[in-house]
């Protein structure tokens, strides 16, 4: 009874092994997100700086706030990733690769979209701001589905709600507040939460060892 | 030499098994996309019909709501039927499904919110929809390591960029139709052709 042959010739033990492997990969994928959650915190801070600069010092290079802060954020992200990849004990599995594909492609799409809008001076439109939040929500939702992580699913819902709210309120002031909440608070809070989750998991592993 | 223990206790055979499992999952993921190739063709045709209705027929305001609703309903019914016939699924194909589901939710929320709030005629809005579709293709292409789908992602993004530069009604219409033809219909037909070939090979193999 313990090891009956399944329909397609796979034994029960084999199936259990596969399931365990998949569960381990999902857990590793979550940890991978946790290890990279400093990127969320970094971008939350970058967005807060750019927004504050634009809002509080409009006559002191205000229009240059985003064109300066975004490339600086991109350079810091790449530098941080390079250092992380070189550090000992850095490993990835298929689940991590999938999550990396999601965020890598989101970064590429967002970069092209933002650059095109800025070059053509359409970055004042509310639909532009809303689209950025919708894209962020999309990446969080896909990652949440891959990693079966409800907390990240919640982050996706908050981003989507923010995108819809920007279009619904249709005012510059409301957009600034929503942007501040989404890019500043949600990004940083989720980043810190994921970092903490990763540390807790690593701590448990260490204790077991 | 054939079964050397690695640093973390995993044997070479274990690693080979893992690699084989991943390769099978990638192949199955591609097959699952190819199996749903008809969805791309259907949506490409729906875009053409809706555009044609909006330009040439009366009751223009109803063109998109009617066509999109019909598309969604047909899609749901056919996908349910396919599932009832027992289409195989693995983790990778479920990830691909998650990509398209997230894209659908994002586009539906965005389009409805933009239409209701009167932002549906902004260049950034049109471009964003193209970028959402391109993003879904891009992620799927990366997960399945599928160059052709990666190309489709760049077609959508390229058309999205073009929408920022060309924004008269005729230009938007032309870009939209080009994206629908190359990024939906042609890709869908290509995916369907792959699926047909695979099915034919399977029949030959069994015979």
């Amino acid at each position: 009874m313990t090891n009956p042959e399944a329909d397609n010739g796979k034994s029960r033990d084999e199936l259990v092994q596969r399931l365990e492997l998949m569960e381990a990969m999902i857990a590793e994928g979550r940890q991978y997100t946790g290890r990279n959650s400093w990127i969320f915190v970094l971008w939350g801070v970058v967005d807060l700086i750019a927004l504050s600069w634009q809002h509080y010092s409009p006559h002191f290079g205000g229009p240059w706030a985003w064109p300066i802060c975004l490339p600086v954020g991109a350079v810091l992200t790449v530098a941080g990733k390079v250092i992380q990849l070189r550090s000992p004990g850095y490993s990835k599995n298929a689940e991590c690769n999938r999550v990396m594909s999601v965020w890598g492609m989101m970064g590429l799409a967002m970069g092209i979209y933002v650059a095109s809008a800025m070059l053509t001076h359409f970055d004042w439109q509310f639909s532009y701001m809303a689209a950025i939040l919708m894209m962020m929500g999309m990446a969080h939702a896909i990652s949440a589905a891959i990693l079966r992580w409800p907390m990240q699913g919640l982050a996706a819902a908050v981003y989507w709600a923010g995108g819809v709210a920007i279009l619904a309120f249709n005012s510059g002031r409301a957009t600034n507040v929503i942007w501040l909440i989404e890019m500043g608070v949600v990004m940083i809070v989720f980043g810190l939460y994921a970092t903490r989750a990763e540390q807790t998991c690593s701590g448990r592993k260490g204790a077991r060892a | 030499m054939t079964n050397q223990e690695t640093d973390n206790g995993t044997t070479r055979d274990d690693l080979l098994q893992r690699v084989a499992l991943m390769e099978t999952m990638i192949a199955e993921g591609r097959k699952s996309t190819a199996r749903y190739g008809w969805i791309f063709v259907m949506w490409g045709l729906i875009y053409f019909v809706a555009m044609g209705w909006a330009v040439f027929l009366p009751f223009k305001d109803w063109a998109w709501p009617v066509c999109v609703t019909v598309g969604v309903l047909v899609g749901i019914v056919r996908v349910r039927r396919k599932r009832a016939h027992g289409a195989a699924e693995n983790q990778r194909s479920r990830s691909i499904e998650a990509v398209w589901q997230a894209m659908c939710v994002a586009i539906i929320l965005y389009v409805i919110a933009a239409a209701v709030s009167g932002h549906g005629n902004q260049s950034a809005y049109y471009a964003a929809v193209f970028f959402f579709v391109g993003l879904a293709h891009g992620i799927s292409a990366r997960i399945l390591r599928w160059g052709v789908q990666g190309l489709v992602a760049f077609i959508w993004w390229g058309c999205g960029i073009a929408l920022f530069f060309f924004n008269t009604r005729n230009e938007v219409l032309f870009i939209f139709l080009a994206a629908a033809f190359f990024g939906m219909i042609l890709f869908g037909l290509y995916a369907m052709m792959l699926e047909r070939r695979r099915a034919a090979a399977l029949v030959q193999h069994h015979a």
Side-chain angles (χ1 to χ4, degrees):
Chain A
M1 276 298 279
T2 51
N3 198 7
E5 198 79 6
D7 288 341
N8 54 357
K10 286 187 182 71
S11 67
R12 192 178 172 280
D13 285 350
E14 258 184 302
L15 292 174
V16 169
Q17 265 181 1
R18 269 194 179 205
L19 269 179
E20 277 172 358
L21 176 65
M22 284 171 188
E23 274 167 10
M25 282 159 81
I26 287 175
E28 274 179 46
R30 278 194 197 189
Q31 260 184 293
Y32 174 80
T33 305
R35 270 203 307 272
N36 288 288
S37 53
W38 60 269
I39 299 176
F40 292 116
V41 179
L42 169 74
W43 278 99
V45 173
V46 167
D47 288 328
L48 281 182
I49 291 172
L51 201 67
S52 314
W53 181 358
Q54 196 182 28
H55 192 72
Y56 294 110
S57 312
H59 304 298
F60 192 69
W64 287 96
W66 288 103
I68 289 175
C69 287
L70 291 181
V72 168
V75 169
L76 287 176
T77 308
V78 173
K81 276 306 286 179
V82 170
I83 294 169
Q84 204 174 21
L85 287 172
R86 281 183 187 162
S87 63
Y90 187 84
S91 64
K92 283 188 302 180
N93 66 17
E95 221 70 44
C96 304
N97 280 334
R98 257 174 263 170
V99 173
M100 206 173 83
S101 302
V102 173
W103 289 104
M105 279 294 148
M106 198 280 296
L108 183 63
M110 185 93 84
I112 300 172
Y113 182 72
V114 169
S116 311
M118 280 183 171
L119 277 175
T120 51
H121 305 292
F122 281 112
D123 53 341
W124 57 270
Q125 294 184 336
F126 291 131
S127 52
Y128 160 78
M129 309 290 274
I132 292 177
L133 295 188
M134 299 308 276
M135 263 191 241
M136 286 290 298
M138 206 172 135
H140 272 292
I142 298 166
S143 178
I146 292 173
L147 303 176
R148 294 169 197 196
W149 198 356
M151 204 59 191
Q152 201 170 18
L154 185 69
V158 173
Y159 274 109
W160 281 339
V164 171
I166 284 181
L167 293 171
F169 284 112
N170 199 17
S171 86
R173 201 182 156 83
T175 301
N176 279 346
V177 173
I178 293 165
W179 194 259
L180 195 74
I181 294 170
E182 296 284 351
M183 291 310 214
V185 181
V186 178
M187 188 103 86
I188 293 174
V189 167
F190 179 74
L192 292 175
Y193 165 79
T195 310
R196 211 181 130 75
E198 203 270 325
Q199 278 169 352
T200 314
C201 202
S202 302
R204 251 185 256 148
K205 263 188 184 175
R208 242 182 272 156
Chain B
M1 278 298 281
T2 53
N3 199 9
Q4 261 177 345
E5 194 93 359
T6 58
D7 290 343
N8 54 0
T10 317
T11 63
R12 191 174 174 279
D13 284 349
D14 273 339
L15 292 175
L16 284 176
Q17 266 184 358
R18 275 193 179 203
V19 170
L21 177 64
M22 282 171 197
E23 277 170 0
T24 315
M25 282 160 82
I26 288 179
E28 277 175 29
R30 276 198 198 187
K31 263 188 254 164
S32 127
T33 301
R35 214 176 294 133
Y36 290 105
W38 60 270
I39 292 185
F40 295 108
V41 179
M42 181 186 81
W43 277 102
L45 292 174
I46 283 174
Y47 292 157
F48 271 87
V49 171
M51 279 286 188
W53 179 354
V55 173
F56 299 111
L57 296 175
F59 308 109
K60 297 175 198 301
D61 292 344
W62 287 95
W64 282 100
V66 169
C67 289
V68 169
T69 310
V70 169
V72 169
L73 290 178
V74 171
I76 290 173
V77 170
R78 281 211 63 179
V79 168
R80 283 208 172 160
R81 267 196 204 162
K82 283 222 167 196
R83 283 209 184 134
H85 285 273
E89 268 193 343
N90 67 21
Q91 262 191 317
R92 208 166 288 258
S93 60
R94 269 194 293 273
S95 300
I96 300 300
E97 211 177 285
V99 171
W100 293 104
Q101 279 171 354
M103 186 212 72
C104 284
V105 174
I107 287 187
I108 289 170
L109 287 176
Y110 186 68
V111 167
I112 291 176
V116 170
S117 61
H119 292 93
N121 54 358
Q122 295 185 338
S123 294
Y125 160 77
Y126 290 126
V129 174
F130 279 46
F131 271 84
F132 294 160
V133 181
L135 178 56
H137 274 291
I139 295 170
S140 175
R142 271 290 301 265
I143 291 175
L144 301 176
R145 295 173 198 188
W146 197 357
V148 176
Q149 201 173 18
L151 186 70
V152 171
F154 278 100
I155 289 175
W156 281 98
W157 287 339
C159 289
I161 294 170
L163 284 171
F164 279 116
F165 291 93
F166 305 100
N167 30 46
T168 65
R169 191 167 173 267
N170 281 344
E171 286 166 348
V172 170
L173 186 72
F174 177 76
I175 294 168
F176 193 86
L177 293 180
F181 181 72
F182 290 106
M184 283 279 178
I185 296 178
L186 270 194
F187 176 69
L189 289 174
Y190 169 74
M192 284 169 81
M193 188 190 77
L194 288 185
E195 167 66 3
R196 196 163 280 189
R197 266 193 209 164
R198 191 191 63 85
L202 215 74
V203 170
Q204 262 187 345
H205 180 75
H206 284 299

